[in-house]
Amino acid sequence: MVLEDLKEEHPDAISVIRLNGMLHSDDNCATKEIARQLCLEHQLSFSKMASSDDNTEFMIDMLRECGLAHKTVIFVLEEFDLFAQGKQRLLYSLLDAMQSLTSQAVVIGLSCRLDADQLLEKRVRSRFSHRKLLFVPSSLDDIQRLMEHLLMLDKDSSLPTNYVTEYNSRLTSIFSNKKFKGVLDSLTDTDATTSNILRFLFRVVSYMDMESGFLSMECFTDALSSMQRQPKMDSLQDLSILELYILVCMNRLEDKEQKSYNFNTIMKEYKSIQDAYKTSDKYATTVCFRAFEHLLDRELITFADTKGRNVALEYRPVKLLISSRELAQSLKLNTTCPAVLQKLLDRERYM
């Protein structure tokens, strides 16, 4: 928004060059993209055959010329932390060029990592201004107030007074419902941005009962279900009882903050459950290992690292690829799931 305001206020004095670490973290690729955008911005011919050194020299010359012409070049680097990998030649070239008295340039790095600036090499960090802005996500109370502001009807609206009163009353009742708090938690767990909240509310309104004209709790739950991506849920639905036991054991190990565990560790946890609850769901180790391999094939679990490829499978560290929430939901939907598994998972989540 600030950039748009500046460009509107100074249309001929500002150029914006945008790079993304997902695409341009390679120095050669980045300098080529900068040269291309600079040529496009200033109506110059771009050479695809130019070398990386040529593009870097062209960039420095353009920054010098723009400075003399009182024009500012703003570099926006999305996924900034990815540019801080490798030799960081691009960052050094950009920040070093800005040290010139004639240069009028700004480099803005955007990253989800709080330690992004700590990834910079010493020579790059010495040229960094150390100006940082931290944007914290909105609190649940703020998000709920935003929803109330957007969904509540104005008392002075042209709609019938009785309808407005009833509509707002029902909405207030929904907002005070514990189930709504759960929906809000699930929504913000994945994405608490305002744009995602707006998309969610759009879906909520689209589920409104057209006959009554009122929103219900089901509108919010249905909207959440339609937004949540559940690529693993189908795979979880047709798992065997033993495979569910293995997943619950892995989840318990992770809840205990056990940093590294393998098949043998999982079997010890499985045996401790059998000893504690005296269930009839006892299987031989060879059968458990086949179930373990099946979970690997289904990509519900994976190896924790790429090391030790020559090590036997039962000794290689593994990790879950599903969340506790997805596992709990699959256990509830599985009609053959033993009650002890649900009890174990609920207890761990409570603790």
Side-chain angles (χ1 to χ4, degrees):
M1 290 168 64
V2 172
L3 284 177
E4 290 301 321
D5 289 345
L6 285 173
K7 288 170 74 175
E8 189 175 335
E9 188 176 347
H10 310 283
D12 300 322
I14 292 178
S15 300
V16 180
I17 307 299
R18 295 183 178 274
L19 298 177
N20 191 305
M22 301 288 285
L23 301 172
H24 311 116
S25 58
D26 177 72
D27 291 329
N28 296 336
C29 179
T31 52
K32 186 175 183 179
E33 179 61 19
I34 289 172
R36 187 191 70 80
Q37 291 189 37
L38 283 171
C39 288
L40 187 65
E41 192 77 24
H42 296 89
Q43 298 179 347
L44 302 172
S45 59
F46 169 65
S47 172
K48 293 182 180 179
M49 304 303 293
S51 66
S52 178
D53 290 338
D54 291 338
N55 287 328
T56 302
E57 188 177 345
F58 170 74
M59 176 186 72
I60 294 171
D61 290 341
M62 283 297 296
L63 289 177
R64 187 185 302 113
E65 291 299 322
C66 287
L68 293 172
H70 301 291
K71 293 184 177 181
T72 300
V73 180
I74 300 174
F75 295 90
V76 180
L77 308 184
E78 301 267 5
E79 308 292 346
F80 178 78
D81 51 285
L82 298 180
F83 288 99
Q85 297 177 359
K87 296 183 178 179
Q88 303 180 12
R89 284 197 298 264
L90 171 70
L91 295 178
Y92 177 77
S93 299
L94 279 175
L95 297 179
D96 190 57
M98 290 171 60
Q99 308 301 311
S100 170
L101 292 175
T102 58
S103 175
Q104 289 187 191
V106 179
V107 176
I108 302 172
L110 306 173
S111 175
C112 292
R113 289 188 59 166
L114 295 176
D115 64 341
D117 59 316
Q118 299 303 313
L119 302 174
L120 299 176
E121 291 180 355
K122 187 176 179 180
R123 61 172 186 159
V124 179
R125 195 181 298 130
S126 65
R127 289 161 172 77
F128 173 49
S129 67
H130 295 280
R131 284 182 289 185
K132 295 188 288 185
L133 290 175
L134 177 62
F135 295 91
V136 296
S138 302
S139 67
L140 289 179
D141 290 339
D142 289 337
I143 292 173
Q144 183 165 330
R145 279 196 293 271
L146 173 65
M147 289 185 172
E148 290 174 2
H149 173 73
L150 293 171
L151 291 179
M152 288 288 194
L153 294 177
D154 193 344
K155 292 180 181 179
D156 298 330
S157 69
S158 58
L159 295 168
T161 306
N162 291 341
Y163 171 74
V164 172
T165 304
E166 180 66 17
Y167 175 89
N168 289 340
S169 175
R170 292 194 182 199
L171 208 51
T172 302
S173 176
I174 291 172
F175 288 142
S176 60
N177 192 326
K178 286 185 179 180
K179 199 172 182 180
F180 173 79
K181 305 294 183 185
V183 169
L184 199 57
D185 282 336
S186 300
L187 180 68
T188 53
D189 275 349
T190 52
D191 189 351
T193 59
T194 305
S195 57
N196 188 55
I197 300 300
L198 293 176
R199 284 195 295 271
F200 171 70
L201 294 182
F202 180 84
R203 289 176 184 253
V204 169
V205 174
S206 71
Y207 282 110
M208 180 189 286
D209 181 8
M210 298 305 292
E211 291 185 8
S212 66
F214 296 116
L215 290 172
S216 63
M217 190 63 236
E218 285 68 31
C219 297
F220 289 87
T221 53
D222 291 345
L224 180 66
S225 298
S226 68
M227 286 188 70
Q228 285 180 328
R229 295 182 61 194
Q230 300 174 327
K232 301 291 184 183
M233 291 305 295
D234 290 339
S235 297
L236 287 166
Q237 289 308 302
D238 53 357
L239 291 181
S240 67
I241 300 298
L242 176 56
E243 287 163 346
L244 290 175
Y245 263 104
I246 292 175
L247 292 178
V248 170
C249 288
M250 291 177 69
N251 188 76
R252 281 167 59 86
L253 289 171
E254 292 190 1
D255 282 341
K256 293 175 184 177
E257 297 184 358
Q258 187 154 336
K259 293 181 180 179
S260 179
Y261 57 88
N262 55 30
F263 173 74
N264 291 331
T265 319
I266 296 168
M267 285 298 97
K268 288 179 183 177
E269 185 68 23
Y270 173 66
K271 187 176 184 304
S272 70
I273 292 174
Q274 298 301 322
D275 292 342
Y277 291 91
K278 308 297 181 184
T279 69
S280 59
D281 302 311
K282 289 187 178 181
Y283 298 91
T285 305
T286 52
V287 178
C288 292
F289 188 69
R290 284 201 296 271
F292 177 76
E293 288 181 311
H294 186 238
L295 291 173
L296 283 169
D297 292 338
R298 297 289 289 268
E299 296 186 354
L300 294 171
I301 65 175
T302 188
F303 297 113
D305 54 50
T306 56
K307 299 176 184 177
R309 292 184 177 178
N310 297 326
V311 179
L313 284 181
E314 56 265 36
Y315 297 108
R316 290 188 65 179
V318 290
K319 63 180 180 180
L320 275 172
L321 289 179
I322 57 172
S323 65
S324 296
R325 191 184 299 276
E326 287 175 321
L327 181 55
Q329 191 173 350
S330 68
L331 293 182
K332 286 180 180 178
L333 295 174
N334 194 318
T335 54
T336 60
C337 175
V340 64
L341 282 182
Q342 186 69 56
K343 183 179 178 182
L344 284 168
L345 194 63
D346 285 343
R347 184 184 175 190
E348 290 300 322
R349 293 173 73 196
Y350 175 75
M351 294 294 286

